[in-house]
């Protein structure tokens, strides 16, 4: 079981931003920007592009809805999308509110936000997510 499957199952806590029957979105614990969110399929597949076409397409549409909620909660120029997957072997999409190109820099020092602020950010995004 991957760490993300444990999060989806509720065995490991997370800052939930959105959910439907196939996908789960939660805050990245080491955000590069406030509102940095991960979207994962509940199906446990390592490599994003190994997902079947229907799941991959549905994940993109789910990510679109999460991005709209992020943008509503945290006005930004655009929400950027990135796929790395080098650390956690469970397919996921990074959604990051962008003010400038530098906000997508994964090499810069990550933000360290108190738990209460992380919870408030997640609650804010969740409140804008249309189920
Ligand atoms: P990568 O696999 O390279 O896309 O990176 C995995 C991402 O997952 C990193 O940005 C981590 O900060 C994030 N991450 C790892 N464990 C957790 C967790 N328990 N909760 C939230 N985010 C996590």
């Amino acid at each position: 079981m991957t760490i993300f499957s444990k999060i989806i199952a509720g065995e490991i806590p997370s800052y939930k931003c959105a959910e439907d029957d196939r996908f789960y979105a939660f805050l990245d614990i080491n955000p590069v920007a406030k509102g940095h969110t991960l979207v994962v399929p509940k199906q446990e597949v390592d490599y994003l592009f190994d997902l079947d076409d229907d799941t991959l397409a549905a994940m993109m549409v789910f990510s679109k809805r999460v991005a709209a909620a992020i943008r509503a909660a945290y006005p930004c120029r655009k929400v950027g999308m990135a796929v790395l997957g080098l650390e956690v072997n469970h397919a996921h999409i990074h959604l990051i509110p962008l003010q400038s190109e530098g906000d997508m820099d994964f090499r810069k020092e990550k933000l360290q936000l108190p738990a209460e602020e992380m919870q408030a950010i997640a609650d804010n995004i969740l409140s804008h997510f249309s189920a």
Side-chain angles (χ1 to χ4, degrees):
M1 202 175 189
T2 68
I3 185 166
F4 288 172
S5 288
K6 289 180 181 167
I7 284 175
I8 293 162
E11 292 174 19
I12 292 178
S14 67
Y15 299 102
K16 174 176 159 176
C17 299
E19 183 174 19
D20 73 2
D21 55 333
R22 296 165 81 183
F23 306 103
Y24 188 79
F26 57 105
L27 292 184
D28 193 304
I29 204 75
N30 298 304
V32 296
K34 279 187 191 182
H36 179 176
T37 300
L38 301 176
V39 173
V40 300
K42 293 185 176 177
Q43 180 189 357
E44 199 173 275
V45 170
D46 174 4
Y47 181 45
L48 185 80
F49 296 122
D50 280 338
L51 288 168
D52 64 81
D53 291 357
D54 175 65
T55 305
L56 181 60
M59 187 167 169
M60 208 51 70
V61 174
F62 181 82
S63 298
K64 174 181 173 179
R65 294 170 56 211
V66 177
I70 292 172
R71 207 173 187 200
Y74 291 97
C76 52
R77 288 179 62 193
K78 291 188 175 168
V79 172
M81 191 176 85
V83 175
L84 287 84
L86 299 175
E87 194 186 304
V88 176
N89 295 325
H90 185 140
H92 54 280
I93 290 172
H94 295 256
L95 295 177
I96 300 169
L98 298 179
Q99 300 297 352
S100 70
E101 192 178 313
D103 293 333
M104 281 295 260
D105 184 357
F106 282 83
R107 292 168 302 184
K108 74 180 181 189
E109 198 175 334
K110 307 295 188 293
L111 298 178
Q112 291 200 327
L113 304 173
E116 307 77 54
E117 187 171 2
M118 290 289 277
Q119 191 61 61
I121 292 169
D123 289 346
N124 196 3
I125 295 170
L126 185 60
S127 75
H128 286 90
F129 182 75
S130 49

